[in-house]
Amino acid sequence: MGDAQAEKKKKPGWRTVLRSLRNRKSGFMALFGFAQGLPPALFLGTLYAWLSEAEVDLETMGVFSLVGLAYAFQFLWSPLLDKVDIPGLSKLGKRKQWIAPMQLIVGIALLVMSFLDPKNALGWFSLLAAVGAFASATQDIAINAWRIDVADEEATLDILSTITQMGFRLAALVGGAFGLIIAERIGWPQTYLIMGAIMLGIGIASLFAPDATVSDDTAATAAANADEVAELYNAGEVTEKVRTRALIAVGVLWGWAIITVVVFMVRSMTATPDTRPDVTLFTTTYGPLIVLATVVLPAFIAAWVARQKREGRNVIHAAPGVGAGHTVKFTDHLYRALVLPLVEFVGRLGWSLVLILAIVLTYRICDSIWGVFAYPFYLGELGYTGDEVAFASKFFGVFAIIFGLALGGWIITVFGRMFTLTLGAALAAATNLLYADLAVGGPAMQAASDAIGFSALIGWMAPFGGEGLPRLTFTIFWENLAIGIAGAAYIAWLSSIVAKKYAAVQYALLASLTLLVGTLGRGALGEMIEVKGYHYVFIFTALIGIVAVVLCVLEWIRETRAGAKSGVVQPDPQIAAE
């Protein structure tokens, strides 16, 4: 009887979720998720409304889209966050030393922008937006690593990942729709003043967040870092010659990528409207090359190093240690920061990394590509008004995503991460068929909405809407619910496959791939819409979604087999890598 009651208590469900939510780490995770979502909304979305009101020309507005590159290419400086301490701030914690200062910088940037006239001080305005976006992207790297570091049996990685997304979506609503509403009443400077104060408040609160275990003694921390470097000289590790070759190759590739992005940004910020390079053209042309240089080719180099080590070729056989003839070099630290995370990733996952990258490239491709064409579809193709679209997507849709995230977190707790990941992929693919119906008039959506009383509810909530608003809202509701479930599972899965020791670099690489693939596919999808129409495109994206479902099933099988071999039902690779 006692065993049965104990088993009942252990059974996952809403009690498990609620217990996790009461954890102090979950509260800070919600705060951090909000801090991740607010700056992009203010620097990449709402800001354009302010610039339009200030009568800034469209060509000049194009400069501000450059700040989005900070989010797309954030992995380029992610190695710094794993291995570099900020002087005087390292005692805050491994991650907090980056999180809190970056949040304060974002807050200060927003505050200063609130005192400027964008038309008369455009140079300062663009500089502050760029600095704020860079600080925002940097805090994202640190927060993603923090989530992986602090997860435990109560505040699980799955729950923390769900909370992250909920905070992010809520911030997008506050910085987007609510920001527009506030600005309409009190003005843009006052709105950005409020948003800056919020970020400053979060930055101060972050100082009290828990962090990964960090020594309070700076000397002890330095000694620990030296010990990690010394491990490179242990028996069985590759020789210094192999490390040097790998470092030079990866360093040249990453160096080219960083220089390319920096040169483009400098040229764009200093050019006239007539000579300014095209951001979209740069992303579609150089984006794949940068991914090739920073991810694909370094992965092959890391595989070569891992193979040398596994086969015992070019490895150290006798290990006298650093103190017996070896001196810690700058290149040793650079190798640990840049190459070792890739070697660990490839060495641990092997050919399974190909499957993982395939999921990363396909799982969120439908909604990441589709986002740009949503408004042209709603406003141009279907003829809805701005108020109707704002109600359906910005208000009803955002709350549908938050509900989906909560539901996804519960499903993960009860049925597991891989079940939810696969379910999310299937639902995301299916919702494209709902849009395909909407593209031909939405007869099925209207009938379903009428049948369950949804149309009557929307008629009461939005009396300003036309007869087609219920079917639009109904479609967006189900799509956003699916996005919420899929988002909760995807972030949890992505967090689970990286090693804690190299979380910043490995997660940033995977997350950036997810972001870049959507950007690179938009040109082709736009052309397809022009030629084939929206109905055809939604059928096509549904088929892409089926590919993601198949890949998720294969990954589920792989993880199950890996768990069976190790005697664990569902192993967490990040723990296995410790």
Side-chain angles (χ1 to χ4, degrees), residues 16-94:
T16 305
V17 175
L18 292 173
R19 188 166 61 251
S20 299
L21 293 178
R22 288 197 298 266
N23 190 290
R24 180 165 170 256
K25 295 174 183 177
S26 299
F28 278 102
M29 190 73 264
L31 198 66
F32 287 166
F34 190 90
Q36 285 184 290
L38 192 60
L42 296 172
F43 292 130
L44 297 176
T46 311
L47 184 63
Y48 291 101
W50 187 1
L51 295 175
S52 298
E53 191 175 294
E55 298 180 348
V56 175
D57 63 89
L58 292 175
E59 286 290 334
T60 304
M61 282 190 204
V63 175
F64 285 87
S65 64
L66 286 171
V67 302
L69 293 177
Y71 297 97
F73 297 113
Q74 60 183 252
F75 63 88
L76 292 176
W77 62 92
S78 61
L80 293 176
L81 275 68
D82 253 344
K83 300 302 176 188
V84 175
D85 291 330
I86 302 177
L89 297 179
S90 58
K91 289 186 178 182
L92 290 177
K94 184 179 180 183

Side-chain angles (χ1 to χ4, degrees), residues 128-146:
L128 287 166
V131 170
F134 179 82
S136 169
T138 303
Q139 71 140 0
D140 288 354
I141 299 169
I143 289 173
N144 290 329
W146 179 89

Side-chain angles (χ1 to χ4, degrees), residues 439-462:
V440 294
M445 294 297 94
Q446 187 67 52
S449 179
D450 292 342
I452 65 172
F454 190 84
S455 297
L457 174 65
I458 297 303
W460 174 75
M461 292 178 64

Side-chain angles (χ1 to χ4, degrees), residues 151-508:
D152 55 31
E153 292 183 358
E154 187 172 281
T156 65
L157 187 59
D158 297 325
I159 295 297
L160 292 180
S161 299
T162 302
I163 293 171
T164 303
Q165 284 287 294
M166 294 178 75
F168 187 95
R169 297 292 180 176
L170 185 60
L173 181 64
V174 170
F178 287 164
L180 292 171
I181 293 171
I182 296 170
E184 191 71 28
R185 284 154 179 78
I186 64 174
W188 285 110
Q190 293 80 359
T191 301
Y192 269 68
L193 186 69
I194 292 171
M195 298 299 175
I198 291 173
M199 283 302 301
L200 286 177
I202 293 174
I204 294 170
S206 298
L207 297 173
F208 302 95
D211 203 350
T213 304
V214 178
S215 172
D216 291 332
D217 183 8
T218 305
T221 304
N225 289 333
D227 288 341
E228 287 187 24
V229 175
E231 291 176 2
L232 297 175
Y233 295 90
N234 288 343
E237 296 293 333
V238 294
T239 61
E240 187 175 359
K241 183 179 179 181
V242 172
R243 295 201 307 272
T244 302
R245 288 179 178 177
L247 179 60
I248 291 173
V250 174
V252 168
L253 291 168
W254 277 62
W256 171 83
I258 293 171
I259 291 171
T260 300
V261 173
V262 170
V263 168
F264 175 77
M265 292 192 71
V266 171
R267 282 182 55 209
S268 300
M269 299 294 283
T270 57
T272 64
D274 294 332
T275 61
R276 187 172 295 137
D278 190 319
V279 177
T280 304
L281 183 63
F282 172 81
T283 307
T284 54
T285 303
Y286 283 93
L289 295 177
I290 290 172
V291 171
L292 185 70
T294 54
V295 180
V296 179
L297 293 179
F300 279 108
I301 294 168
W304 172 73
V305 174
R307 185 176 179 181
Q308 299 280 313
K309 185 176 178 180
R310 185 175 61 251
E311 295 180 356
R313 291 184 294 157
N314 295 313
V315 297
I316 300 171
H317 297 289
V322 175
H326 291 295
T327 304
V328 176
K329 304 174 183 176
F330 172 73
T331 52
D332 292 333
H333 292 285
L334 201 58
Y335 177 84
R336 285 175 58 244
L338 195 59
V339 182
L340 209 54
L342 298 172
V343 174
E344 190 282 333
F345 213 16
V346 174
R348 171 164 52 89
L349 296 171
W351 285 105
S352 300
L353 186 59
V354 176
L355 174 60
I356 287 169
L357 290 177
I359 295 175
V360 168
L361 292 172
T362 58
Y363 193 82
R364 301 301 301 272
I365 191 171
C366 294
D367 50 276
S368 63
I369 289 179
W370 156 243
V372 174
F373 304 103
Y375 286 116
F377 177 62
Y378 299 146
L379 300 172
E381 181 77 6
L382 301 181
Y384 287 100
T385 67
D387 286 344
E388 289 174 328
V389 173
F391 170 80
S393 64
K394 292 297 183 184
F395 289 97
F396 208 94
V398 169
F399 286 112
I401 288 180
I402 293 174
F403 176 62
L405 286 165
L407 182 59
W410 176 78
I411 295 172
I412 291 173
T413 304
V414 176
F415 298 102
R417 185 184 302 143
M418 289 311 302
F419 172 86
T420 314
L421 187 74
T422 308
L423 175 65
L427 291 175
T431 54
N432 282 273
L433 300 178
L434 305 186
Y435 275 96
D437 177 75
L438 200 63
V440 294
M445 294 297 94
Q446 187 67 52
S449 179
D450 292 342
I452 65 172
F454 190 84
S455 297
L457 174 65
I458 297 303
W460 174 75
M461 292 178 64
F464 57 83
E467 58 87 22
L469 181 57
R471 61 175 173 264
L472 174 67
T473 310
F474 186 77
T475 305
I476 289 176
F477 170 81
W478 289 110
E479 184 212 18
N480 286 9
L481 185 72
I483 287 175
I485 294 172
Y490 183 69
I491 298 299
W493 172 75
L494 212 60
S495 301
S496 74
I497 61 177
V498 303
K500 281 188 178 182
K501 197 172 183 180
Y502 309 107
V505 179
Q506 293 178 353
Y507 189 94

